Amino acid sequence: MRKKLIAGNWKMNCSRSEALQLASAIIASASESSAELLICVPTIHLSDIAKLACNSHLKLGVQNAYWQKSGAYTGEISVSMLEDYQIEYLLVGHSERRELFGDTNDEVARKFSAALECGITPVLCIGESLQQREQGITLEVLKEQCQSVIDLVGIKAFNKACLAYEPIWAIGTGQTATPEQAQEVHQSLREFFAQLDKDVAQGLQILYGGSMNAANAEALLAQPDIDGGLIGGASLKPDDFLKIYSLAG
Ligand code: PGA
């Protein structure tokens, strides 16, 4: 049985005091559950939040890091620097990274690999644009995004990773994929992985992301191949985020 994972992606939001307040509210109400709870915070707040989160049910992740261990990469933070914190997860390949910061499939694969080397679980984000969906090439695009990672690290590496399907047209737009649309894609993705390794596919947590909120989460999480959510906007509202967590447990 795959556990459900409810993951918040705070993106570039929250001052230090807002971050501490939000994390405290989540920690205070995060009771034991069969579901897992994660927040991916801005890296600058990591140290503060890690102190609050120790001995709680809340897991911590960050939203980006560079794959090289060290060197002349001005402005970057390496995955290996994160090893000293209580980091369990790293988002890689989020569409905002791909679109706004030029992360290529190759770089995404290297970040994925660097996370695994540091014992951090990569969450590989994949998604199609509205134009690609209308052209009928959704699965092609998603498989290509997965394939470049598989080519670098091998299929077994997905035993220690998660996948997040995030249709770009649904991110931050309030326009969610219907539960049926999302399930159709998740099922196809699981079948794609099963062709390479049945056990990996069976164990793989595939999260849905794209305007998941307290009102639509129940129907999405009820789908057999949706194993949780990657939640942006609603993860900044503790009551909504915790409601989604309680629906998943
Ligand atoms: P959203 O963001 O929930 O605000 O659509 C999801 C994401 O980008 O991970």
Side-chain angles (χ1 to χ4, degrees):
M1 246 309 252
R2 292 182 298 272
K3 280 189 172 177
K4 293 236 189 309
L5 171 63
I6 299 303
N9 174 9
W10 287 9
K11 308 195 180 185
M12 197 178 73
N13 289 298
C14 296
S15 66
R16 183 169 184 232
S17 64
E18 286 165 349
L20 289 174
Q21 215 178 335
L22 179 54
S24 303
I26 294 168
I27 290 164
S29 305
S31 49
E32 178 122 45
S33 154
S34 58
E36 298 171 307
L37 187 64
L38 163 69
I39 51 174
C40 297
V41 302
T43 311
I44 195 167
H45 300 319
L46 182 57
S47 171
D48 287 331
I49 295 176
K51 284 183 204 134
L52 289 180
C54 67
N55 303 320
S56 79
H57 294 292
L58 182 65
K59 295 168 187 282
L60 290 183
V62 293
Q63 304 159 25
N64 180 49
Y66 196 51
W67 53 274
Q68 289 277 15
K69 283 195 170 63
S70 61
Y73 303 100
T74 300
E76 289 295 319
I77 288 169
S78 72
V79 179
S80 60
M81 287 172 183
L82 297 171
E83 267 190 295
D84 297 335
Y85 298 85
Q86 294 159 249
I87 280 292
E88 291 185 61
Y89 291 84
L90 174 69
L91 302 184
V92 297
H94 191 283
S95 61
E96 286 151 18
R97 296 287 328 164
R98 294 178 191 264
E99 288 193 337
L100 302 173
F101 302 99
D103 284 15
T104 61
N105 276 341
D106 178 57
E107 276 162 341
V108 170
R110 285 171 191 268
K111 289 179 180 187
F112 186 105
S113 173
L116 287 178
E117 266 178 44
C118 294
I120 295 170
T121 302
V123 180
L124 173 61
C125 305
I126 57 173
E128 83 286 5
S129 66
L130 185 58
Q131 196 189 18
Q132 288 164 332
R133 174 161 278 264
E134 284 170 356
Q135 283 169 356
I137 57 168
T138 295
L139 280 179
E140 230 170 277
V141 170
L142 302 178
K143 285 180 191 174
E144 197 181 309
Q145 290 172 340
C146 292
Q147 192 63 51
S148 57
V149 178
I150 296 168
D151 288 345
L152 185 72
V153 298
I155 183 71
K156 293 277 186 215
F158 280 82
N159 274 325
K160 296 199 190 77
C162 302
L163 199 60
Y165 168 56
E166 298 205 301
I168 297 170
W169 46 271
I171 294 179
T173 58
Q175 192 192 340
T176 326
T178 64
E180 296 72 28
Q181 272 175 327
Q183 166 58 23
E184 189 187 4
V185 172
H186 282 228
Q187 189 180 340
S188 303
L189 287 168
R190 202 177 302 286
E191 283 164 8
F192 168 68
F193 277 84
Q195 281 164 12
L196 303 170
D197 189 312
K198 277 206 172 69
D199 293 339
V200 168
Q202 261 319 305
L204 183 64
Q205 281 175 318
I206 310 181
L207 317 182
Y208 168 79
S211 299
M212 186 186 268
N213 58 39
N216 62 27
E218 189 166 14
L220 286 160
L221 294 170
Q223 300 300 314
D225 288 293
I226 298 184
D227 307 311
L230 181 55
I231 300 148
S235 73
L236 299 170
K237 302 175 194 153
D239 291 349
D240 290 19
F241 187 56
L242 289 160
K243 167 94 191 296
I244 300 172
Y245 176 55
S246 71
L247 290 168

